[in-house]
Amino acid sequence: MSEPRQFSDEELTAYLDGEDALALRETIERSLAQDETLRARLDALTLDTARIRTGFAELLSNAPQAPEFNCDRVAPSPMRRFQTTWRHAAAAAVLALFVGFGGGALLTGPAEPGWRDYVASYHALYATVTLSGVGQTTADAAAELERVSAAIEKPISLSDVSMPDRLDYKRAQILSFEGRPLVQLAFLTKQGTPVALCIIEASEPGDGAVQTTRLEGMSAAYWSKGGHAFVVIGGDDDAFIGQLAAVYSERL
Amino acid sequence: MTADTDASDAVKHGLTPLFPKLWRYCLVLTGARERADELAQATCLRALEKADLFTLGTELDRWVFRIAQRLWLNDLRTQSVRHGEGLAPIEEIDFPEKQGDPESNFSARETLSAVMALPEAQRLTVLLVYAEGRSYREAAEILEIPIGAVMSRLAAARGKLADMINARSETK
């Protein structure tokens, strides 16, 4: 029988973390079956990482208000110029970085336009590659839609959002705006342009017709219906986005 | 629209949704709320200044975390020490009081305190791998260290944390 292999704490840690390429999983597992000392060493490194995740997740909600980078859109009255003691303070003036004081002052004001701007800022980060790798089975997509529908109390089925001649449906996720759930459904056009349909429960019920606009340089259309507000956004083809909005405003 | 403008827009629009995670990263880095606030804001400024260097299609958070780290290591930490503020005494951190189940919150907060009591390099690695679920390779890229260093930091952190956290859970 060969000499038992010795493992470093680093190798055992990589094994516990599932970094298999580094950890020689099979060798470790074979040794664990025979080596009591190794089992004790592994126990001493075993950790409830879910608890770490939970603890750190709680910290996120305690982060201060984010600086506002798009000051041309937001009334400056509730804000104060960011005064930094840091030596690059001059940059603050050039870049017009503002910080909101008074707990969410930046996000208040006209609530509905606010959420559309945030949706646009978020969508601006989407590239084709953000979504091109996403592939779901029909059953998974339907289950995901059911989950996000529940968050905004609005039934949305796969057939509601499918537009196979124009868009490939990719995924749905629940975001949050001022503590309210915001559902984002993401698509790629046949040309690979990311498009999003976003839905939030309106602060005041009421129906509003489809209107087209430009947000962050992208084509967008918005409307409200039956207690929910909607935005479709993506690319720079205003007519195309207008057509999508017309279809979705009928279906949803 | 030029590539530089695209990159600048991506940074400008990406910083707001990213800010809570950036602030948390800064908190773990600096160990103190006030310094985390300052570093997070300074990082945003630097990111906007350097936005044309951001590579579209790569993760903005990795890029911004690296900026935060360089700022802290090269500049702000030195200032803190020079001004006699010392390095991140753990007692300074005012962990959030959350409503809800006091038992479970206590446990999560305790875990957080235990992580924050680790040396700076270890707690940052713990944040990236265990809280954010990143791979060793991603953590190594963000921290700009070899992958072996990620492993040794985590091994050391696991040894210490397992003692503290597991012992506490057994007593409950």
Side-chain angles (χ1 to χ4, degrees):
Chain A
M1 193 173 154
S2 63
E3 193 68 14
R5 172 149 162 12
Q6 297 298 310
F7 299 98
S8 66
D9 280 356
E10 284 77 5
E11 286 174 316
L12 295 179
T13 295
Y15 167 74
L16 288 167
D17 288 339
E19 294 266 349
D20 294 353
L22 301 160
L24 305 171
R25 168 166 296 263
E26 284 180 11
T27 326
I28 288 178
E29 284 178 354
R30 251 196 326 272
S31 300
L32 278 174
Q34 308 156 359
D35 186 344
E36 202 173 316
T37 315
L38 184 63
R39 281 200 295 276
R41 282 183 57 212
L42 196 71
D43 280 348
L45 291 171
T46 299
L47 198 60
D48 183 356
T49 53
R51 206 174 292 183
I52 295 179
R53 208 162 40 244
T54 310
F56 276 102
E58 283 185 9
L59 268 185
L60 285 180
S61 58
N62 287 270
Q65 182 70 53
E68 175 57 56
F69 306 108
N70 303 308
C71 48
D72 52 330
R73 277 206 310 265
V74 185
S77 52
M79 295 182 269
R80 228 169 65 191
R81 201 74 175 244
F82 170 45
Q83 303 284 332
T84 177
T85 56
W86 191 55
R87 68 187 170 85
H88 288 273
V94 176
L95 296 161
L97 175 70
F98 291 89
V99 177
F101 288 85
L106 281 172
L107 296 176
T108 54
E112 295 312 323
W115 86 277
R116 292 199 293 265
D117 285 339
Y118 275 79
V119 161
S121 295
Y122 182 62
H123 191 72
L125 287 179
Y126 273 62
T128 307
V129 291
T130 315
L131 297 168
S132 55
V134 179
Q136 293 189 31
T137 64
T138 307
D140 286 346
E144 189 178 67
L145 275 174
E146 195 173 333
R147 183 176 61 86
V148 304
S149 298
I152 52 167
E153 297 180 359
K154 168 148 194 77
I156 309 165
S157 68
L158 203 49
S159 59
D160 288 334
V161 298
S162 287
M163 237 185 263
D165 53 331
R166 296 177 180 175
L167 295 173
D168 293 329
Y169 171 73
K170 287 296 179 181
R171 69 167 182 217
Q173 54 184 354
I174 303 170
L175 307 172
S176 176
F177 177 75
E178 292 184 337
R180 284 185 288 160
L182 189 171
V183 163
Q184 182 226 36
L185 311 176
F187 308 82
L188 279 181
T189 66
K190 299 299 172 190
Q191 292 75 38
T193 305
V195 169
L197 166 63
C198 295
I199 310 169
I200 193 171
E201 282 186 88
S203 46
E204 290 175 17
D207 290 354
V210 173
Q211 297 193 54
T212 52
T213 183
R214 281 263 168 160
L215 295 171
E216 302 297 335
M218 295 176 287
S219 302
Y222 60 93
W223 70 97
S224 54
K225 184 176 172 183
H228 289 85
F230 303 77
V231 168
V232 179
I233 186 165
D236 56 6
D237 185 340
D238 296 340
F240 179 72
I241 291 296
Q243 289 159 7
L244 296 183
V247 175
Y248 285 134
S249 63
E250 286 288 314
R251 287 186 188 174
L252 295 168
Chain B
M1 200 182 264
T2 67
D4 282 359
T5 315
D6 288 344
S8 294
D9 281 350
V11 172
K12 192 172 106 178
H13 301 309
L15 283 174
T16 300
L18 176 62
F19 193 77
K21 274 178 73 184
L22 169 64
W23 174 80
R24 183 175 68 177
Y25 189 83
C26 294
L27 183 68
V28 175
L29 192 58
T30 64
R33 186 173 285 263
E34 206 171 284
R35 270 175 249 165
D37 293 354
E38 185 189 7
L39 180 60
Q41 288 168 1
T43 302
C44 288
L45 289 179
R46 179 59 67 89
L48 289 168
E49 276 182 303
K50 303 282 182 192
D52 53 342
L53 299 178
F54 173 65
T55 309
L56 282 172
T58 61
E59 277 186 50
L60 182 65
D61 52 0
R62 289 198 215 180
W63 185 70
V64 170
F65 287 178
R66 278 199 296 268
I67 293 176
Q69 185 172 247
R70 285 179 196 167
L71 274 177
W72 175 244
L73 293 179
N74 297 339
D75 194 344
L76 297 177
R77 181 167 64 173
T78 322
Q79 282 182 18
S80 294
V81 175
R82 198 182 302 133
H83 294 159
E85 293 167 22
L87 279 182
I90 185 65
E91 296 75 17
E92 276 186 19
I93 298 174
D94 172 28
F95 286 118
E97 291 290 338
K98 293 275 290 185
Q99 293 177 345
D101 178 3
E103 279 295 314
S104 64
N105 282 323
F106 182 62
S107 164
R109 287 218 315 276
E110 266 200 337
T111 307
L112 211 50
S113 300
V115 173
M116 293 302 290
L118 296 172
E120 180 183 310
Q122 287 175 24
R123 60 181 189 245
L124 215 48
T125 318
V126 166
L127 168 72
L128 292 172
V129 176
Y130 298 139
E132 296 201 347
R134 294 177 184 278
S135 68
Y136 286 7
R137 184 165 301 284
E138 287 172 328
E141 280 172 18
I142 292 169
L143 297 170
E144 303 185 293
I145 56 174
I147 206 162
V150 171
M151 290 167 76
S152 64
R153 286 180 185 186
L154 289 177
R158 267 185 179 270
K160 289 178 206 162
L161 290 175
D163 281 349
M164 285 189 274
I165 295 173
N166 298 342
R168 284 177 201 178
S169 2
E170 280 160 18
T171 61
K172 285 189 179 168

